């Protein structure tokens, strides 16, 4: 647990190679879904979407009851230009936790990537309606919504 906590702290601090290294150490000790999820995120954010996708697959295989495992694989799929797969994973995670904002955001991003603009915007509008005005995530969602709403 301490190793995973340190890996997560590295991820939050933006030290992606450090997170990947610590997550790899955690996997060597105990290959659990949580370890693969962290390493998947770190690899994906370093443009190693193939490694991120492999770790996302391992996370889902290790414990498909964890919504974050589906989020890890779906996020890697989105980066790998598999928007339909990302939506599928988001929906699998949402069947486990229907109100998960990160999974709903992933589904909206997948829909936008597939050109399903109206559905993506509706999802983002619903997320924004649930966020208080001062929420730090609000600005990023509003920016994403504006990008998707722009005429092409």
């Amino acid at each position: 647990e301490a190793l995973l906590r340190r890996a997560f702290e590295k991820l939050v601090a933006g030290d992606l190679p450090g997170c990947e290294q610590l997550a790899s150490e955690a996997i060597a000790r105990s290959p659990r879904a949580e370890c693969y999820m962290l390493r998947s995120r770190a690899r994906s954010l370093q443009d190693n979407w193939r490694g991120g996708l492999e770790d996302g697959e391992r996370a889902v295989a290790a414990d498909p009851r964890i919504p974050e495992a589906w989020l890890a694989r779906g996020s890697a799929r989105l980066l790998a230009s598999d928007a339909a797969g990302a939506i599928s994973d988001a929906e699998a995670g949402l069947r486990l936790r229907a109100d998960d904002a990160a999974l709903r955001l992933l589904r909206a991003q997948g829909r936008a990537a597939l050109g399903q603009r109206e559905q993506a915007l509706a999802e983002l509008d619903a997320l924004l309606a649930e966020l208080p005005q001062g929420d730090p995530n609000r600005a990023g969602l509003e920016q994403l919504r504006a990008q998707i709403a722009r005429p092409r």
Side-chain angles (χ1 to χ4, degrees):
E1 290 299 317
L3 198 54
L4 276 180
R5 192 174 322 104
R6 287 179 32 224
F8 181 75
E9 289 168 359
K10 296 267 186 195
L11 179 68
V12 170
D15 180 2
L16 302 176
C19 174
E20 183 178 355
Q21 178 184 348
L22 290 172
S24 294
E25 289 176 32
I27 288 166
R29 292 181 187 179
S30 176
R32 299 186 346 244
E34 293 85 353
C35 306
Y36 287 117
M37 292 176 335
L38 268 174
R39 192 170 73 177
S40 173
R41 191 72 183 140
R43 286 180 166 177
S44 295
L45 290 172
Q46 293 177 90
D47 293 328
N48 177 3
W49 58 265
R50 193 162 293 161
L53 187 53
E54 289 170 3
D55 283 338
E57 294 280 356
R58 290 180 183 120
V60 169
D63 194 344
R65 297 166 300 166
I66 299 176
E68 292 84 2
W70 295 99
L71 177 64
R73 188 173 81 175
S75 297
R77 284 176 135 180
L78 187 62
L79 291 171
S81 298
D82 179 8
I87 292 170
S88 177
D89 284 350
E91 290 178 344
L94 287 165
R95 282 192 289 279
L96 299 168
R97 189 182 307 137
D99 63 343
D100 190 287
L103 287 163
R104 291 168 60 201
L105 175 59
L106 175 62
R107 183 170 60 186
Q109 290 172 308
R111 287 176 171 167
L114 288 177
Q116 299 170 0
R117 229 169 111 219
E118 295 308 315
Q119 288 176 299
L121 292 171
E123 186 94 60
L124 290 172
D125 287 342
L127 283 168
L128 285 165
E130 295 167 14
L131 283 180
Q133 285 299 324
D135 190 291
N137 296 310
R138 191 169 188 80
L141 284 177
E142 288 172 343
Q143 183 179 11
L144 177 61
R145 190 196 186 292
Q147 289 173 346
I148 293 170
R150 246 183 242 126
R152 305 219 174 229

